[in-house]
Amino acid sequence: APVVARGCTDVFCCILFILAILGYFAVGILGDPRKVIYPTDSRGQFCGQAGTPWSKKKPLLFYFNILKCASPLTLLEFQCPTTQLCVESCPTKHMTLLKAYLNKGEQEYYKQFCKEGSAPEILRDGLCPSMLMSSKPFTRRCLPALSTMKGGVVVVGNETIFDNGEGEKVNATDFLDASKKSNVVVEARQVAMRIFEDYTVSWYWILIGLVIAMVVSLIFIVLLRYLAGIMIWVMIVMVILVIGYGIFHCAMEYRSLKGEPGSDVTIRDLGLQTDFSVYLQIRQTWLAFMIILSIVEVVVILLLIFLRKRVLIAIALIKEASRAVGHVMSSLFYPLLTFALLALVIAYWAITAVFLSTSNEQVYKVFNTTECNYSRDTCNPEVSHKMSLFFHISRCPDAECLFAFYGGETYYHKYLILFQFYNVFLFFWCANFVTALGQVTLAGAFASYYWAFKKPDDIPANPICSSLGRALRYHTGSLAFGSLILSLVQVIRVLLEYLDQKLKAAQNRFAKFLLSCLKCCFWCLEKFIKFLNRNAYIMVAIYGKSFCTSARDAFFLLMRNIIRVAVLDKVTDFLLFLGKLLIVGIVGICSFFFFSGRIKAVEQTAPSLNYYWVPILTVVVGSYLIAHGFFSVYAMCVDTLFLCFCEDLERNDGSPERPYFMSPELHEILSKTKMLTPNGKSFDIL
């Protein structure tokens, strides 16, 4: 059985990991997430938030002159160069400052859109907007209430031409352009809000779909325990049929769109659309889906044809793994702990990223639209009145000191990018550590099954709990060491992707070629390290040695059995992948017909959605993660049994003095891969 008398391994890495986690907690408390959630007025105060004396009960942001938001400066500075004010509600009618001045009854209404309730007649100092217009709140901002009449005429409150309060006429189309650019930083929120709305009306159906995926996965695993051979062949046939149906459905959609107006538009001509359902209305989309599925179908069939003999042996190995899982049933529920820990890591990473991005200070800049004799980048709002008088003397009547963005000039703000890098690095390290903990725990449990001479009598009572306890007590340092190496490679890959994005516009072909080579090399290195770490963790779980020693032993053990690794291990992984593909395909097809309203019997039950692909994609991704969680137990079981078999075969010879620990069935399966030459040397035949 796995060695019981063991000591702590890689203590230095354990201490380093604990210190890194403590530093991670310290980094995560910086910043204010309100800076990215709520709009900010010209004073840098949050609209509608406690602690902002002038804006606590004013949740909406109002632009004095939204036409200035159409200037290129908006795109450069990410700030509209006009006074912005927090208000209780958006204006509901068109009105000029002159009209309010002449009509005493309108002055009180107009005053709520002026700075600190100042009198409407003070236009010269820019304390009031020159014009109000009918607006609606969007992403907590007052934007013109634009609509389109028949013929494509843009109107605001049933009007097309407006007096801007300065003796000029403005077209409603100008407000359309200004509205788009005023929201340039939060333009993506429109799609995000629609997606959020879809989640609010479909979340329970998504949960039902995920529960169905969990039930199907569990039933599939249970059936593998008793009907492994039949289930594998049923799975193979079903995968081929599901992909075939996908090809048939794409072909029918492609044919049905023939002759439809606009269906022959190409994806390139269509460009990026926020309404993704538009892409389903063109024939090229379905043609692309059909080609991709056809390629996948051909690849799967060819692999099954050429690997048919290996598939038979892999099925027998899965049968043995089913027996092991049957004796360690608690292993099927361990992925839930891994999911919970990974969700915690991802959530903390996201929160820390938001906090770091909002830990800057308020930066104010001078905004003006006319040419002046005086200009400066930054300004101080505390002396804005004196500065305004100076600008008037300098013939800059429209210059204002407005909040621009969050930044800073301190050493902390200069090196903030390093904290963001630290956040990304710790995210990879913690995520890899959680994955490594799961692998060691499962490997220890299944090794307990393999090295039990009398099965199941010699199997420990709680193999999962015992293995988890050993991993945390003795091998936290080894897990941190292995995950650290993998994290370093992953961070380098992230940096290479960042450089690739920066060099896309470059004309240096040698630099692009070199970068592509580096990306390919580090991708291969990451795959190799993952494979080596996985087997090293199995050796750690069995013998309790350090990470480097375990990695070396696992590597040379696998090299001495390289043919078996290629033939059995990878073919088994392929069959388990087909199982995940089948579950995702079944649940995905059912969710597609339900959420798209294709099933007449439940058409009224299906929720009304902006994008029906949102719950479908969520269910598909969630189903894959659930299926991967269950099948990862089988994959780890197969890898552990295979490595234990190779170790058993080298240490024992089947004699009464040195008997094999493997079951007779497993010995019969894997011994078929070796034959003896006339001179007595063994060689692999598969």
Side-chain angles (χ1 to χ4, degrees), residues 13-33:
C13 284
C14 179
I15 297 174
L16 182 64
F17 183 64
I18 293 174
L19 292 177
I21 293 295
L22 293 177
Y24 200 21
F25 288 144
V27 169
I29 63 176
L30 302 173
D32 187 351

Side-chain angles (χ1 to χ4, degrees), residues 376-581:
R376 58 190 294 183
D377 289 334
T378 59
C379 58
N380 188 346
E382 301 299 329
V383 293
S384 60
H385 181 67
K386 295 181 180 179
M387 184 187 68
S388 178
L389 294 176
F390 180 79
F391 283 157
H392 281 301
I393 297 173
S394 303
R395 297 181 180 178
C396 297
D398 59 345
E400 293 182 273
C401 182
L402 303 178
F403 166 78
F405 54 83
Y406 289 99
E409 301 296 331
T410 65
Y411 281 104
Y412 169 77
H413 297 106
K414 288 181 179 179
Y415 297 104
L416 184 61
I417 185 65
L418 295 180
F419 288 101
Q420 289 285 15
F421 177 81
Y422 184 76
N423 181 32
V424 173
F425 176 72
L426 261 294
F427 165 72
F428 282 120
W429 197 358
C430 293
N432 290 326
F433 179 85
V434 170
T435 304
L437 179 62
Q439 292 174 345
V440 167
T441 301
L442 292 174
F446 293 126
S448 300
Y449 164 83
Y450 183 92
W451 296 111
F453 191 73
K454 293 182 179 179
K455 300 177 179 63
D457 298 335
D458 294 342
I459 301 175
N462 296 299
I464 288 290
C465 295
S466 301
S467 181
L468 179 61
R470 287 195 302 268
L472 291 175
R473 181 179 178 181
Y474 298 110
H475 306 303
T476 299
S478 297
L479 302 183
F481 191 13
S483 55
L484 173 63
I485 296 173
L486 181 59
S487 300
L488 289 173
V489 176
Q490 290 173 333
V491 168
I492 292 174
R493 289 195 62 203
V494 171
L495 292 176
L496 290 175
E497 290 293 340
Y498 175 77
L499 291 176
D500 188 30
Q501 293 296 324
K502 290 294 184 181
L503 294 176
K504 273 190 174 181
Q507 302 298 323
N508 193 331
R509 293 186 178 181
F510 176 75
K512 291 183 178 180
F513 172 76
L514 181 61
L515 192 60
S516 299
C517 292
L518 288 174
K519 288 170 60 178
C520 179
C521 291
F522 276 95
W523 180 85
C524 295
L525 180 60
E526 181 185 356
K527 296 298 180 183
F528 173 75
I529 290 177
K530 283 184 176 180
F531 174 76
L532 186 61
N533 281 8
R534 185 182 180 90
N535 290 281
Y537 295 145
I538 295 175
M539 300 300 281
V540 168
I542 297 174
Y543 295 109
K545 297 179 181 180
S546 65
F547 175 79
C548 291
T549 303
S550 300
R552 181 197 62 196
D553 294 343
F555 178 75
F556 287 112
L557 181 61
L558 292 173
M559 288 301 100
R560 293 192 296 270
N561 297 271
I562 188 62
I563 303 299
R564 285 196 178 105
V565 173
V567 170
L568 298 178
D569 196 37
K570 296 309 163 188
V571 174
T572 305
D573 289 343
F574 172 68
L575 292 179
L576 295 178
F577 173 74
L578 290 182
K580 290 184 278 188
L581 203 63

